[in-house]
Amino acid sequence: MSGPRANVLFLGNSSEVNFSLMLSPIDEETGKLQHSNCSGSRRAGDWNLNVTPGANTSKVTISLTRNLQLCLPNATDCCTTPLCVVETLQVLACRDSVMVAHLLIQAEIYANSSFIGNVSENATIIPNQAFQPLGSCPCDLTAGACDVRCCCDLECLPDLKQLFTGSCFTGVFGGDVNPPFDQLCSAKSMENTPDWFPFLCVQSSLDNTPFLGYFYHGSISTPSEPSFKIPLQTSPGRLFTGYRQGDPIMTEENDYFTVPQQSMAGQCVGNAPVAFLRSFDARCLTHLASYREGLPHGVRINSGTGDFIQQNVIYGTITDIDKFITKSENPPATEVPCKNVTFAEHYKLICKGKNIKEINVTVFLGSLCDGGYQVGKPVRAANLSASDAFGSLKLWQPAGRGLCTSATYTPVLFGLDSLSGCMLEVGINEDCSLLRGNVTEKLNSLIQATHIGKRGNSNYSDLNDWVKIIRLDPYNSDASVSSGNLKGICSDIPANLNIRIIIADVGAVQGIPLQEILAVQISYSTVIWQFQCGLTCENPNFLPITASVQFIKVPAQPPIPLTRFQINYTEFDCDRNDVCWPQLFYPLTRFYTGEPYSQCLAKGLALAFLVLLAAITSNPWFQKVWNNSLV
């Protein structure tokens, strides 16, 4: 132990246990522990032993009772050397004169170095320099030596002063730290003294003088609120020496330069500091409803030398936003308007040594709509007559030889007219009824739906969000007149599937139009198939079957029908002729929206009045009437 107190614990029931303390149990000749017995006491030399019993644990405390202060002259009961106590102790625990436990303690305790004694209560009073001269001899600049021409320097001997007595510094610097001031009545001079000086002079002692605090240049420190901003790594009087690898990059406002990053737990931290010379690639997901604008790019970055660098920003456009969007299985029923969002930002910091020379930022923007359809996105389909409402509207994507058996599928994309097809193998002995059924089955496999979504976020549980597909069945061969038993010829084969989708602009959000699907119609075009024989008629022929998609855009409101005048007199049609007579008075019509209609009407009437007035005054009879009225 190295202190005056030590605590140990005795485990078990201590009600019948006798504790004792022994001093110096090591034999000095042999260096072995002396024979211990249970007849000792709880005090040995300057040491005491105290026991605090408990239920199953007892606290044993060994403490030193002597003084540990270093000896002062003519003092007793103190430590003569810094290493004050070097002793060996042994604590014994006995039950019925039988030792059940023992503890060996080696104590090396140094003297206490704190001062104990009488402290003088006399304190040096430093006068307030705002009301006292800084020093009685300001020219005394060298300690322990005489300053030449400083006659108030007490270190200058009289013999030395005789060398510059006639050239001593004058004024406050020379020791006249409290000279009479000009406003004092006793300091009246004979030169440049106005007549009213005796009425305005000051009667005062030199203790109240304007020279007090002449050398005191105090500064007013305004209280500042505590800030959690991290200070730059600067030292007083020295510029910033640059970044080290891993140091956070600072901004002009003495804040961290932060961008969204992933933490060690995998979560996205919105304001994570950017470390110097530490590259990273972070991908964070954000809900569209809680989206906020991108990072501010007007913040200037500390280069590392105290200068600040402006970010060079370049904007790009994202055309394919699918790789940036993670859609849920059930889209929200509420419409979220279109907005221009920031999908990605790439930061490139060019460094040289410990400093940042340039920072380039590439911002990728895109338009995100979760209400109407977007051009190039799949058309939403549903099979509301089945338990699983999910449906599909597809086209063929032939591969290899272009056969229908090996063709894959691709979804119908909104706003893009498409045409696809595949080849179906047909033999010369093909039954026409079976051929019609086979072709119809192939074409119907592209449309596994009963309804088409009006919007891109149509809800499966809301029937008003869907339009029913209008089907025009193919030609019924049973009701047709038979073409006879001609081998290799089949009529009314529904080889072409026509999908017509009617769309319209139903509104706009922030200048971006919202488009919806109003109706969908499916029809078939029939052909007459005839087998073509080559050298032989044994090889099968190929029947091409196609599927086309056409988007027809209609106006949101029906157009105003043309009048009979517009139909018959086309020379007055402004869309067909270079000269448009109806627009002669365009500012006075309701189509002009540059100014309020009332102002346009008032200006037009004023202009008409001026024209009429000019026409009247230019008429000869007006001049004759005017001249007669003057006579």
Side-chain angles (χ1 to χ4, degrees):
M1 59 184 293
S2 59
R5 184 184 297 271
N7 296 320
V8 294
L9 297 177
F10 178 78
L11 303 179
N13 189 2
S14 62
S15 58
E16 299 180 357
V17 177
N18 182 26
F19 294 91
S20 60
L21 182 64
M22 294 182 61
L23 185 61
S24 301
I26 299 178
D27 191 348
E28 297 180 357
E29 296 181 357
T30 61
K32 297 181 180 180
L33 291 174
Q34 297 180 2
H35 179 70
S36 303
N37 53 55
C38 296
S39 60
S41 63
R42 293 189 178 185
R43 182 175 178 82
D46 297 328
W47 300 89
N48 283 339
L49 186 143
N50 295 323
V51 179
T52 303
N56 295 321
T57 304
S58 298
K59 181 179 179 181
V60 181
T61 302
I62 302 94
S63 58
L64 182 64
T65 59
R66 63 168 296 178
N67 187 11
L68 294 178
Q69 296 295 332
L70 283 174
C71 291
L72 298 175
N74 300 326
T76 58
D77 189 18
C78 56
C79 298
T80 57
T81 60
L83 186 57
C84 188
V85 178
V86 180
E87 294 178 341
T88 303
L89 306 175
Q90 188 172 12
V91 182
L92 302 178
C94 301
R95 180 183 288 116
D96 298 333
S97 301
V98 177
M99 184 175 61
V100 295
H102 71 279
L103 176 65
L104 185 65
I105 300 176
Q106 180 69 33
E108 294 183 359
I109 304 174
Y110 286 84
N112 192 353
S113 60
S114 61
F115 174 75
I116 297 179
N118 296 326
V119 180
S120 175
E121 297 295 335
N122 297 329
T124 302
I125 299 176
I126 300 176
N128 190 344
Q129 294 299 311
F131 307 102
Q132 296 289 334
L134 183 62
S136 59
C137 188
C139 60
D140 186 3
L141 304 177
T142 306
C146 175
D147 290 277
V148 180
R149 298 182 61 190
C150 185
C151 296
C152 62
D153 191 350
L154 299 179
E155 296 169 347
C156 294
L157 299 178
D159 296 339
L160 190 58
K161 284 184 181 180
Q162 293 180 359
L163 299 176
F164 51 80
T165 300
S167 302
C168 294
F169 291 112
T170 59
V172 177
F173 185 72
D176 189 8
V177 295
N178 204 6
F181 49 94
D182 296 337
Q183 292 79 12
L184 200 60
C185 295
S186 60
K188 179 180 178 181
S189 60
M190 298 302 296
E191 298 179 0
N192 300 326
T193 301
D195 297 337
W196 43 263
F197 179 79
F199 298 97
L200 299 177
C201 64
V202 178
Q203 293 287 352
S204 175
S205 64
L206 294 181
D207 295 334
N208 184 16
T209 172
F211 289 99
L212 294 179
Y214 186 78
F215 290 96
Y216 179 77
H217 300 284
S219 60
I220 300 176
S221 60
T222 57
S224 59
E225 298 180 358
S227 176
F228 293 99
K229 296 180 180 179
I230 304 300
L232 290 176
Q233 302 175 6
T234 58
S235 57
R238 187 174 57 183
L239 291 177
F240 189 68
T241 57
Y243 294 104
R244 294 177 300 176
Q245 185 177 8
D247 289 347
I249 298 177
M250 309 302 293
T251 65
E252 183 180 9
E253 301 297 332
N254 206 15
D255 291 327
Y256 285 137
F257 176 59
T258 60
V259 298
Q261 301 179 41
Q262 289 181 344
S263 63
M264 299 296 294
Q267 298 177 348
C268 187
V269 181
N271 296 323
V274 178
F276 185 69
L277 295 181
R278 294 287 176 83
S279 302
F280 62 89
D281 183 9
R283 300 175 183 270
C284 296
L285 294 178
T286 303
H287 293 286
L288 179 61
S290 60
Y291 169 79
R292 295 184 300 176
E293 293 296 330
L295 300 174
H297 301 111
V299 179
R300 298 202 302 171
I301 307 301
N302 192 312
S303 63
T305 59
D307 299 331
F308 301 103
I309 302 175
Q310 187 69 37
Q311 304 180 38
N312 302 323
V313 184
I314 301 175
Y315 292 94
T317 303
I318 295 294
T319 56
D320 186 10
I321 64 175
D322 289 339
K323 60 181 179 181
F324 294 95
I325 299 177
T326 301
K327 294 186 177 180
S328 59
E329 296 180 359
N330 296 323
T334 59
E335 296 185 12
V336 179
C338 297
K339 58 174 66 175
N340 291 326
V341 299
T342 301
F343 287 100
E345 292 185 353
H346 296 169
Y347 289 83
K348 183 178 181 181
L349 282 75
I350 302 176
C351 306
K352 182 178 181 181
K354 299 182 178 180
N355 304 324
I356 301 174
K357 296 298 182 183
E358 187 177 356
I359 175 170
N360 299 323
V361 185
T362 304
V363 181
F364 294 94
L365 303 176
S367 177
L368 184 60
C369 299
D370 202 14
Y373 277 106
Q374 297 184 52
V375 177
K377 297 302 176 184
V379 174
R380 194 172 177 82
N383 191 0
L384 299 182
S385 61
S387 58
D388 186 7
F390 181 78
S392 62
L393 186 63
K394 301 176 292 185
L395 294 175
W396 284 301
Q397 190 174 5
R401 298 174 59 192
L403 299 178
C404 296
T405 55
S406 61
T408 58
Y409 299 97
T410 181
V412 174
L413 302 181
F414 181 82
L416 301 180
D417 295 343
S418 305
L419 176 65
S420 67
C422 61
M423 306 297 291
L424 187 65
E425 290 184 340
V426 183
I428 190 173
N429 297 320
E430 189 76 23
D431 184 79
C432 293
S433 298
L434 295 178
L435 179 60
R436 294 188 189 97
N438 188 17
V439 173
T440 304
E441 181 181 0
K442 293 290 184 182
L443 295 176
N444 289 338
S445 65
L446 301 176
I447 308 172
Q448 300 294 328
T450 59
H451 292 74
I452 298 297
K454 293 181 179 179
R455 297 176 295 274
N457 63 342
S458 298
N459 193 354
Y460 287 108
S461 60
D462 190 358
L463 189 59
N464 295 325
D465 287 351
W466 303 86
V467 294
K468 188 175 182 180
I469 299 177
I470 302 174
R471 293 178 178 265
L472 301 179
D473 293 332
Y475 184 79
N476 190 355
S477 61
D478 295 336
S480 63
V481 179
S482 175
S483 59
N485 296 325
L486 297 178
K487 187 177 182 180
I489 299 177
C490 293
S491 61
D492 300 328
I493 302 297
N496 303 318
L497 174 65
N498 306 313
I499 303 175
R500 294 181 178 90
I501 302 176
I502 300 176
I503 61 176
D505 293 338
V506 296
V509 177
Q510 298 179 359
I512 301 176
L514 294 178
Q515 301 185 68
E516 289 187 2
I517 294 179
L518 303 182
V520 179
Q521 183 192 67
I522 295 176
S523 62
Y524 300 87
S525 300
T526 59
V527 296
I528 299 176
W529 172 78
Q530 182 177 0
F531 190 88
Q532 300 292 333
C533 292
L535 298 177
T536 62
C537 296
E538 298 179 356
N539 296 327
N541 278 181
F542 294 99
L543 172 64
I545 56 178
T546 60
S548 63
V549 179
Q550 181 183 8
F551 287 88
I552 304 173
K553 189 172 183 179
V554 298
Q557 296 180 355
I560 300 175
L562 297 177
T563 62
R564 183 180 300 176
F565 178 81
Q566 293 175 335
I567 297 175
N568 297 331
Y569 298 95
T570 57
E571 63 270 13
F572 295 99
D573 190 352
C574 295
D575 296 333
R576 301 181 183 180
N577 301 279
D578 296 334
V579 178
C580 182
W581 291 105
Q583 293 184 359
L584 178 62
F585 299 99
Y586 175 73
L588 300 180
T589 62
R590 294 287 184 178
F591 300 100
Y592 178 67
T593 58
E595 293 178 321
Y597 181 73
S598 58
Q599 295 183 11
C600 295
L601 183 60
K603 294 178 181 179
L605 293 177
L607 181 61
F609 175 75
L610 294 177
V611 172
L612 180 60
L613 182 62
I616 294 175
T617 56
S618 61
N619 199 297
W621 65 265
F622 177 81
Q623 297 290 338
K624 183 177 181 180
V625 172
W626 179 261
N627 294 330
N628 293 334
S629 63
L630 295 179
V631 175

